[in-house]
Amino acid sequence: MTDLYSQAQSAAEYIRSKVSFRPEIAIILGSGLGNFASQVENPTIIPYADIPNFPQSTVVGHSGKLVLGTIAGIPIAVMQGRVHAYEGYSMAQVTFPTRVLALLGVQQLIVTNAAGGINTRYGQGAIVVISDHINLTGTNAALGTNDPRFGQRFFDMSAAYSPALRKLAIAEAGKQGWTLDEGVYLAVLGPSYETPAEIRAFRTLGADLVGMSTVHEVIVARHMGIEILGLSVVTNMAAGVLDEPINHEEVMEIGRRIEDQFTTLLTALIPQLAIQ
Ligand code: CYT
């Protein structure tokens, strides 16, 4: 059996063999946000199934393709779909693509997700920049023997969501005529949505958003020294905030509805991130 580092290296080598450039920025697209990948110019599309050791998503709305190309001349890698721990994947599998992107030489990662809104200041369809996270999944992607080729045993998470990139995103939204709020993202394992009692508890803990992804990718990206921008789309208000149930179709539908706003923001941000 080869170790995780070698497995990630073979995946990275396979991807390198398909493109003649090195991506500088990577983007992981969350539920309902996959269409952003169609913005990529001169795309090379690689199905996850073709990449050695890459995990396959089983969720409707996550298509499972790596799209490499450029936006505004900046070489980027876009993950259209991710795998989640609730699908039964190990932490190593959930974060494998992030490790591979880092080995490809990506310096900045934009993580996106569909989240429930805990903060009542947000409305459905709001885009929120993640200022910090609370990991309540009960596990950690850096668990186990540390491989120093990835990073150090203990690593800082005090500015995991880059203050500079958050500032850029807020300024860009302002230029586009809308207010980008900041918030703390709390991660649970899922797949059940939260109960109203859990949401009240999470609000007391300081959470503004709740979801089932992102934190493990962020932990691994920080382990490997990558700068992060996190964006959540509030696809629904969290359980108990409104007097109505939550359903996955609605989560997907809201993602599609704010697609233009989301795409316009990301497209404008990429060249600004690149010169950071
Ligand atoms: N919504 C969502 N909880 C929610 O209410 N998209 C994830 C988790």
Side-chain angles (χ1 to χ4, degrees):
M1 219 197 74
T2 55
D3 60 24
L4 183 65
Y5 189 86
S6 314
Q7 289 172 15
Q9 276 291 14
S10 354
E13 256 156 51
Y14 177 83
I15 296 163
R16 273 188 217 113
S17 76
K18 298 286 173 194
V19 285
S20 56
F21 62 89
R22 301 287 165 262
E24 290 171 18
I25 299 173
I27 304 170
I28 303 177
L29 297 174
S31 303
L33 303 172
N35 274 353
F36 175 77
S38 64
Q39 297 298 309
V40 177
E41 293 146 28
N42 304 309
T44 298
I45 300 172
I46 310 176
Y48 294 166
D50 292 357
I51 309 173
N53 312 311
F54 236 63
Q56 307 297 307
S57 176
T58 60
V59 190
V60 178
H62 282 263
S63 75
K65 288 186 212 113
L66 182 66
V67 182
L68 297 123
T70 58
I71 283 187
I74 312 297
I76 64 166
V78 180
M79 279 184 58
Q80 197 177 30
R82 57 151 68 91
V83 303
H84 303 78
Y86 63 71
E87 296 173 76
Y89 287 108
S90 69
M91 282 298 105
Q93 287 171 310
V94 167
T95 55
F96 186 81
T98 307
R99 297 255 185 230
V100 173
L101 291 168
L103 292 183
L104 281 175
V106 158
Q107 314 251 319
Q108 291 160 325
L109 173 66
I110 306 177
V111 276
T112 71
N113 58 55
I118 296 178
N119 192 323
T120 52
R121 203 174 63 227
Y122 307 151
Q124 202 180 19
I127 300 173
V128 180
V129 64
I130 303 174
S131 56
D132 204 345
H133 78 217
I134 299 173
N135 175 11
L136 279 194
T137 66
T139 187
N140 190 297
L143 208 65
T145 310
N146 187 58
D147 189 330
R149 289 172 292 183
F150 286 129
Q152 294 176 348
R153 171 76 296 182
F154 301 105
F155 50 99
D156 184 45
M157 291 290 288
S158 57
Y161 297 83
S162 162
L165 300 192
R166 280 154 54 196
K167 223 188 212 171
L168 269 185
I170 291 166
E172 179 55 38
K175 270 187 237 160
Q176 295 180 10
W178 55 282
T179 304
L180 179 61
D181 245 317
E182 287 200 283
V184 172
Y185 178 91
L186 183 145
V188 293
L189 263 189
S192 53
Y193 288 120
E194 305 71 34
T195 64
E198 286 168 340
I199 294 302
R200 286 192 300 275
F202 297 166
R203 182 179 293 125
T204 305
L205 291 176
D208 299 300
L209 302 152
V210 62
M212 305 170 192
S213 66
T214 304
V215 297
H216 301 297
E217 292 150 354
V218 167
I219 288 168
V220 159
R222 291 310 297 150
H223 189 221
M224 298 182 76
I226 290 177
E227 201 178 11
I228 291 151
L229 176 68
L231 294 171
S232 285
V233 172
V234 178
T235 48
N236 59 279
M237 293 315 287
V241 175
L242 305 175
D243 189 20
E244 54 188 52
I246 300 160
N247 71 77
H248 183 62
E249 283 66 40
E250 182 184 42
V251 167
M252 300 299 298
E253 170 55 32
I254 295 293
R256 282 188 287 271
R257 218 189 294 166
I258 58 88
E259 202 133 54
D260 284 351
Q261 190 187 5
F262 178 78
T263 297
T264 308
L265 176 67
L266 272 194
T267 309
L269 279 175
I270 286 164
Q272 299 180 43
L273 258 56
I275 56 165
Q276 271 291 295

